[in-house]
Amino acid sequence: MSDPSAQPSSEQAVIYVGAASLSMVIGSRVSGAAFKEVEHLDRPLPLARDIFRTGTVTRSTIEQAAAILRDFLQTTREYSIPPESIRLYNTNILSEATNHEIFLNRLQVTTALNARLIDDGDMTRLVYQIARRLLEKNPLLAKGDTFVSHIGPGNTRALYFRQGRLAAYSNYRLGIFRAREAVAGSDVESPQHLMHLEEQIRGVVDHLAQDYSGSKFDHHVAIGAELQSIAPLLTKPKQGACRVTESDLERFTEKIAELSPDQLVRRLAVHYTGGEGIVPALQTNLALARRFGDEIIWVPEGDFQRELMYDLVIASPRTATFQEEVMQAAGEIGVRYKTDRKHADHVANFAQQLFRELSHLHGLEPRYELVLRVAAVLHEVGMFVSPREHHKHSLYILMQTEIFGLSTSERELVALLARYHRRYNPEPNHPHFSDLTREERMIVFKLAALLRVADALDRSHAQRIKSIVLRREGSRLTVVTPGIEDTTIEQIAINSKCDIFREIYGYDIVLAQP
């Protein structure tokens, strides 16, 4: 992932508390989206075993994590890396532990770093980026219909690319450690244990096969730490991927399933906590391959967790392609709830223009533009339940709906914007809004004000106003509407629901002709 000819910047570190280990990479960003590694440390940590077996992170694991972090910080001091150049991330499965806040607090006390929790939306984006890079390296995968699966510690993700563009996405609650610990009461070395694992796996495989029964795949890409670690043992990688046959994967899985934990650790040179997930990971991937009739599985070359950490260090801005695929996924949700797609897209276009041209007023980071656009596309999903108080129904639906590419916090913002797209203003005691920080509440106010104006400009749902030109004139923001002489309906809508814009930005909105 590095360019030797480029000049590196100062060194930085990223620490990742994963499902089975605690890792750190130290290195430098180089020109472009690349990272040059100079040090990698990895220590076993039975986090997933604790969470899926007991529902908590045990005290011994907390102490073990703290001790490892102290050692890691000593290494960063030896490299003279300042604290502001160190980032600390935690696996998304940590949120399932009842004491995850206590665990995060302990990490922050130990390191004096902000211990960020990666959520499902973040993980989906990271998996998408790995898949996208592989498609760019392999024109064969990009030109065809490619199914991508990711078997994680607690979840299975599926992404379907049609000629290089994301066409579908889904997420299932079955993962390597979730499946393993569901049958932890049985003898891990017995045939019965493997049979129970297969039963756990079969349910999600059946569900996934049903969801994609109408799609025909040319290629199957399988992403995951365990599978990527053993794929080079089965075949040599080419163009960034190993082409593993279903028969080779079956034979290998059967062989290592017969090994004791000690034998497996020696054979594959892994630590015990990492080794615990290998058999269920291979079984799940094998079950998917069999169900879809895959003779060949494409497995990305490289270490999955390290590549994930590189992406966290680089933290590159979301590309235009990714943003459009997020919008496409949001549009599919809108179709599911029978929204007026032409109105939604029109409002989204106006909202984007307002966000960009009024950036000097709202001062928000560019990433909130995507949040606003998604909210514009989905602001009326609550009409599916009832036109009466549909803004509240929209809040509920969107709080319960995963939106591809958005983090949990971003999805909550989308839901709140849908809640406040009408004339009802946010109140401190409103559900979900009351949970926000003062800064987050102000973001909702600023974005909701823009969304209301954009929605009012298409009050008739007929897209009468095709384009707008913004002009600031004293205490007024004049919105010029070329080609439209009578904007009475839209002006009434603005007057009735856009008081929040006046309060936040200090401008009255007046529609005018050229």
Side-chain angles (χ1 to χ4, degrees), residues 292-325:
F292 287 118
D294 298 317
E295 295 182 2
I296 298 291
I297 307 170
W298 297 70
V299 182
E301 180 183 13
D303 185 309
F304 172 81
Q305 185 156 303
R306 279 161 87 167
E307 190 164 0
L308 181 152
M309 295 169 73
Y310 294 157
D311 282 335
L312 292 172
V313 173
I314 294 169
S316 57
R318 293 170 174 175
T319 64
T321 299
F322 177 76
Q323 291 189 37
E324 290 313 309
E325 296 199 313

Side-chain angles (χ1 to χ4, degrees), residues 91-102:
T91 173
N92 55 308
I93 67 169
L94 179 60
S95 63
E96 299 194 38
T98 57
N99 64 338
H100 72 272
E101 291 183 350
I102 293 175

